[in-house]
Amino acid sequence: MSAPPYPRRTTVSPFPVADCGGLHDGIVFPAAEFAARLAAVQQRMAAAGYATLIVSDPANLYYLTGYNAWSFYTPQGLIVPADGLPHLFARAMDAGGAHYTAVLPRENLHGYPEHLVQRPDVHPWEWIAARAREIGLLPPGELAGIELDGYFFSPRGYLALTATVPEIRLDDCHDLVNWVRLVKTPAEQTIMREAGRITRAVMERATQAVRAGRRQCDVVAEIQHTQARGVAGLGGDYPAIVPMLPTGQTAGTPHLTWSPAPLVAGEATTIELAGVRERYHVPLARTVSLGAPPRQLADCASAIADGLAAALAAIRPGADCAAPHAAFTAELHRHGFRKDSRIGYPIGIGYPPDWGERTASLRAEDGTPLAAGMCFHLILGMWMDGWGYETSESVLVTDDGCELLAELPQGLVINDDSH
Amino acid sequence: MSAPPYPRRTTVSPFPVADCGGLHDGIVFPAAEFAARLAAVQQRMAAAGYATLIVSDPANLYYLTGYNAWSFYTPQGLIVPADGLPHLFARAMDAGGAHYTAVLPRENLHGYPEHLVQRPDVHPWEWIAARAREIGLLPPGELAGIELDGYFFSPRGYLALTATVPEIRLDDCHDLVNWVRLVKTPAEQTIMREAGRITRAVMERATQAVRAGRRQCDVVAEIQHTQARGVAGLGGDYPAIVPMLPTGQTAGTPHLTWSPAPLVAGEATTIELAGVRERYHVPLARTVSLGAPPRQLADCASAIADGLAAALAAIRPGADCAAPHAAFTAELHRHGFRKDSRIGYPIGIGYPPDWGERTASLRAEDGTPLAAGMCFHLILGMWMDGWGYETSESVLVTDDGCELLAELPQGLVINDDSH
């Protein structure tokens, strides 16, 4: 068992790391990293006037504490006070093992009883709210920020919370933690580069696997095999989204998963996948044509190549999120194409159902300034009537431009169309 | 390309199947199946006094229409009127391709504009609610059932809906569609048996792959490879939950995913995974000991084996969900063990984050009567202090008992502990 390439947790306060299992090999962020993340969130909370912050997005739980398990199908939450360490609330069987991954002391882990799970008459958020109030996390009359549009916090959970602690004033925090995540720390940037190495290996295998007569599910088997194995010395983690493989006529729609149907000579297949390292994602898309592409596909690929080059050239600190979109759009229009949807979103930690961070978007309406350390997936999908083309790059914004996180030949991939 | 083993859609009303792509090979339910499912839901709606039903669980969308895409990370919903066909609402890029999978006429597919996606100031559910009211799906003053505790319908979506159509009276439908799904139709039972064949192949490969010195991620690579390939003639689909592999000390907690750390001789690994066929899941758990198990693990496995046999013997139409739990618990106590959590839940269609149906539970408090055609995952997890044991069976309730959906040797698997 070789030494992990990252520093293990050290004993920097405020996280009581002696209590942590540290049982995972691989990347474990140092405690100082978690302390800095928490401080950044608490600073934003202060600016918003929040006495407390109620977090449920699994990516935010992982970001702030390292907690990592497939437990988000039952209610769970992290409550962050204005000062001091957060408290984690989860189903008892999950809270009991949370110390294996989370940098929190045992007394900050709270498990709700099993009999509350999936019942029409009672709800775990009643228990969580009551317990949080009891330990002073929900001060009456104070403002509490809350994630109202994330995943895995249901309207019923919300109604249970407000009914149990009606004295708390709730305010939609609009993904406050996600906005902190937008700029990656140096340690995160290193992990993103590692994820990118996995991405490159996975996409290489994927494009080679697309052959006429092969079943879609067999191509995916090879993709997932490489995603999990990773590359030498870097084990892979699971992606927030399974490989997507719209092919032939269905390439005209973006989010179809695979079927057992075979790939057909003469048709094109779009592939969208990610390499993942310790929950950090670097997505990538390519399109493979089995045989010479029809004229419209070749023209589209050519237009997108020029648009992509223009967008990449427009990414640098100080420009805003609309700038690469404008550069891309101008090139696309010059070629006689148009695209209505955004061309990119921030990436990093991801859990199903999405590897996007849900904050800034690369689109005309978004004036968020770009800054070094941000990571974006520039995804250029053209979903046409009965055919489609997708290509993408994942980038890290640097001091004077951007760096590709998974460098591979760009443009349409053309494979032999023989069986 | 061999003929699919299931009937393709036929032209039985009310679904206008001529409009449907039917581009997927493999299993496509006949239109009569969808008509019967819709009728069953509308019957329950009538009993509840609902003029309409607002559905957002992707499994329910698939159940009622066949719609199947990884599009649930942005808001989407199906609105079911008291009579007639449902309407699907999704992001424009997804609604545009929904006819590839959904048995709905084009005029029942509604796409909201791209500029509503992931914005702090506007929300897709404002658009969906306004459009649904406009076409008469949300009659003022009438009662509308709504899924308030499913996945992928956020509190902000709920608040946007109620603010846009304040004249509608909403009622938590408590997973009405999921309750219809509880009893599988003959066509569904056949697919569940096929999924079980995949499960058996995947678990065989998984237990063989667990070897001392191998990295956890390499074991998962083999599992996922088999999950996607399936077995001869039956391609695999993606599971709602990734393979879970708590090992050694961390087997004391249930929902840890894998790491790049190697498996250790002398330690035990619990494996929980599913075989999946066209979104239908048959989960299975086994525990592998690398070398002779410690006494406590062997004793626990023996107690669980007796408990499992008793629970299986107690499953039959007419008994209730508490009966197998009581039979299991009596055996477990006789052996000096105890378990607080439920021992099973219904299975079938699944999307991340769960393959459970969230209705009945096999536990003391649940008096739901068992009926032929129900499918359950009997999952017997013992999460102890620093070690654990898990085993499970997926069963189909038959006319006079139950049938194992993935038959494999039961009990603790002991592999050689050499590298």
Side-chain angles (χ1 to χ4, degrees), chain B residues 285-358:
Chain B
R286 288 291 184 270
T287 299
V288 182
S289 177
L290 290 174
R295 176 67 180 269
Q296 61 187 6
L297 179 58
D299 286 351
C300 181
S302 167
I304 291 291
D306 288 349
L308 173 60
L312 290 173
I315 295 178
R316 58 175 177 277
D320 66 16
C321 282
H325 182 270
F328 168 81
T329 303
E331 279 301 313
L332 207 65
H333 288 180
R334 198 172 63 77
H335 283 271
F337 285 90
R338 58 172 287 175
K339 173 173 169 60
D340 290 331
S341 44
R342 62 181 181 178
I343 64 161
Y345 50 79
I347 46 171
I349 302 168
Y351 283 84
D354 198 10
W355 55 48
E357 289 182 350
R358 304 194 309 279

Side-chain angles (χ1 to χ4, degrees), chain A residues 1 23-26 68-75 91 93-101 106 114-121 123-124 147-159 172 174 205 214-215 217-218 220-222 224-242 244 249-262 277-279 339-342 345 352-354 357-361 363 365 383-387, chain B residues 1 23-26 68-75 91 93-101 106 114-121 123-124 147-159 172 174 205 214-215 217-218 220-222 224-242 244 249-262 277-279 339-342 345 352-354 357-361 363 365 383-387:
Chain A
M1 177 167 160
L23 291 169
H24 275 212
D25 186 23
N68 183 20
W70 194 288
S71 56
F72 39 89
Y73 69 94
T74 51
R91 187 178 179 182
M93 68 169 72
D94 296 311
H99 63 283
Y100 290 124
T101 54
R106 299 267 184 143
E114 181 63 23
H115 67 82
L116 298 178
V117 173
Q118 296 178 356
R119 288 269 293 267
D121 49 339
H123 197 277
E147 295 177 346
L148 287 187
D149 207 24
Y151 305 112
F152 311 122
F153 180 56
S154 72
R156 197 168 150 223
Y158 170 75
L159 296 172
D172 188 345
H174 290 296
R205 185 154 173 198
R214 292 200 71 189
R215 297 182 308 167
C217 60
D218 294 333
V220 169
E222 296 199 24
Q224 294 194 313
H225 191 263
T226 314
Q227 281 178 318
R229 284 185 63 89
V231 295
L234 300 175
D237 200 352
Y238 66 89
I241 306 178
V242 295
M244 289 187 290
Q249 205 180 334
T250 63
T253 190
H255 297 123
L256 281 191
T257 52
W258 67 88
S259 87
R277 178 81 175 143
E278 301 279 348
R279 310 298 335 120
K339 174 173 169 61
D340 290 331
S341 44
R342 62 181 181 177
Y345 49 80
D354 198 11
E357 290 182 350
R358 304 195 308 279
T359 50
S361 286
R363 59 182 162 196
E365 304 88 344
W383 300 291
M384 318 303 272
D385 191 13
W387 63 282
Chain B
M1 179 164 157
L23 290 169
H24 277 210
D25 186 23
N68 183 20
W70 194 288
S71 56
F72 39 88
Y73 69 94
T74 51
R91 186 178 180 183
M93 68 169 71
D94 296 311
H99 62 283
Y100 290 125
T101 55
R106 299 265 183 143
E114 181 64 25
H115 68 81
L116 296 178
V117 173
Q118 296 178 357
R119 288 270 293 268
D121 49 340
H123 196 277
E147 296 177 346
L148 287 187
D149 207 24
Y151 305 112
F152 311 122
F153 180 57
S154 72
R156 198 169 150 223
Y158 171 76
L159 295 171
D172 188 344
H174 290 297
R205 184 153 172 199
R214 292 200 72 188
R215 297 182 308 166
C217 59
D218 294 334
V220 169
E222 296 199 23
Q224 294 194 312
H225 191 263
T226 314
Q227 281 177 318
R229 284 187 62 89
V231 295
L234 300 175
D237 200 351
Y238 66 88
I241 305 178
V242 295
M244 289 186 291
Q249 204 180 336
T250 63
T253 190
H255 297 122
L256 282 192
T257 52
W258 67 89
S259 87
R277 178 82 175 143
E278 300 280 348
R279 310 296 337 119
K339 173 173 169 60
D340 290 331
S341 44
R342 62 181 181 178
Y345 50 79
D354 198 10
E357 289 182 350
R358 304 194 309 279
T359 51
S361 287
R363 59 182 162 198
E365 304 88 344
W383 301 290
M384 318 303 271
D385 191 15
W387 63 281

Side-chain angles (χ1 to χ4, degrees), chain A residues 109-413:
Chain A
L109 307 173
H110 308 272
Y112 59 78
E114 181 63 23
H115 67 82
L116 298 178
V117 173
Q118 296 178 356
R119 288 269 293 267
D121 49 339
V122 286
H123 197 277
W125 272 99
E126 296 163 15
W127 190 96
I128 295 173
R131 179 94 181 105
R133 176 173 55 191
E134 190 182 299
I135 57 178
L137 285 172
L138 299 175
E142 298 282 351
L143 200 60
I146 186 165
E147 295 177 346
L148 287 187
D149 207 24
Y151 305 112
F152 311 122
F153 180 56
S154 72
R156 197 168 150 223
Y158 170 75
L159 296 172
L161 171 69
T162 54
T164 308
V165 286
E167 67 280 10
I168 190 92
R169 294 187 300 131
L170 293 175
D171 184 59
D172 188 345
C173 74
H174 290 296
D175 295 316
L176 182 151
V177 181
N178 304 54
W179 282 98
V180 173
R181 285 164 49 200
L182 184 55
V183 176
K184 271 65 190 169
T185 65
E188 288 183 294
Q189 293 176 29
T190 305
I191 294 174
M192 288 295 281
R193 290 190 183 100
E194 292 189 342
R197 287 176 54 194
I198 297 175
T199 304
R200 209 166 55 185
V202 179
M203 184 55 89
E204 277 179 343
R205 185 154 173 198
T207 51
Q208 286 161 11
V210 169
R211 297 286 167 191
R214 292 200 71 189
R215 297 182 308 167
Q216 297 173 34
C217 60
D218 294 333
V219 176
V220 169
E222 296 199 24
I223 292 172
Q224 294 194 313
H225 191 263
T226 314
Q227 281 178 318
R229 284 185 63 89
V231 295
L234 300 175
D237 200 352
Y238 66 89
I241 306 178
V242 295
M244 289 187 290
L245 212 69
T247 185
Q249 205 180 334
T250 63
T253 190
H255 297 123
L256 281 191
T257 52
W258 67 88
S259 87
L263 300 168
V264 177
E267 292 193 343
T269 300
T270 63
I271 305 168
E272 188 175 351
L273 51 75
V276 190
R277 178 81 175 143
E278 301 279 348
R279 310 298 335 120
Y280 282 81
H281 291 63
V282 170
L284 200 66
R286 287 290 183 271
T287 298
V288 182
S289 177
L290 291 174
R295 175 67 182 270
Q296 61 187 6
L297 180 59
D299 287 351
C300 181
S302 168
I304 291 291
D306 287 349
L308 174 60
L312 290 173
I315 295 178
R316 58 176 177 275
D320 66 16
C321 282
H325 182 270
F328 167 81
T329 303
E331 279 301 314
L332 207 63
H333 287 180
R334 197 171 63 77
H335 283 270
F337 285 90
R338 58 172 288 177
K339 174 173 169 61
D340 290 331
S341 44
R342 62 181 181 177
I343 64 161
Y345 49 80
I347 46 170
I349 302 168
Y351 283 85
D354 198 11
W355 55 48
E357 290 182 350
R358 304 195 308 279
T359 50
S361 286
L362 303 183
R363 59 182 162 196
E365 304 88 344
D366 199 320
T368 307
L370 297 170
M374 291 181 179
C375 293
F376 288 93
H377 184 212
L378 261 84
I379 168 83
L380 308 172
M382 302 293 285
W383 300 291
M384 318 303 272
D385 191 13
W387 63 282
Y389 179 72
E390 275 186 63
T391 194
S392 80
E393 293 297 335
S394 279
V395 303
L396 166 65
V397 183
T398 58
D399 287 337
D400 55 0
C402 71
E403 167 190 329
L404 300 184
L405 286 165
E407 202 163 353
L408 276 180
Q410 294 182 340
L412 182 65
V413 180

Side-chain angles (χ1 to χ4, degrees), chain A residues 24-99:
Chain A
H24 275 212
D25 186 23
I27 297 150
V28 183
F29 290 105
E33 171 92 9
F34 288 104
R37 294 174 180 185
L38 178 63
V41 165
Q42 286 172 331
Q43 194 175 358
R44 278 192 186 241
M45 287 170 58
Y50 294 160
T52 196
L53 182 69
I54 304 171
V55 176
S56 47
D57 184 332
N60 292 339
L61 269 54
Y62 180 70
Y63 183 74
L64 286 173
T65 73
Y67 179 66
N68 183 20
W70 194 288
S71 56
F72 39 89
Y73 69 94
T74 51
Q76 56 185 28
L78 187 77
I79 303 190
V80 185
D83 297 295
L85 292 176
H87 287 248
L88 179 69
F89 300 81
R91 187 178 179 182
M93 68 169 72
D94 296 311
H99 63 283

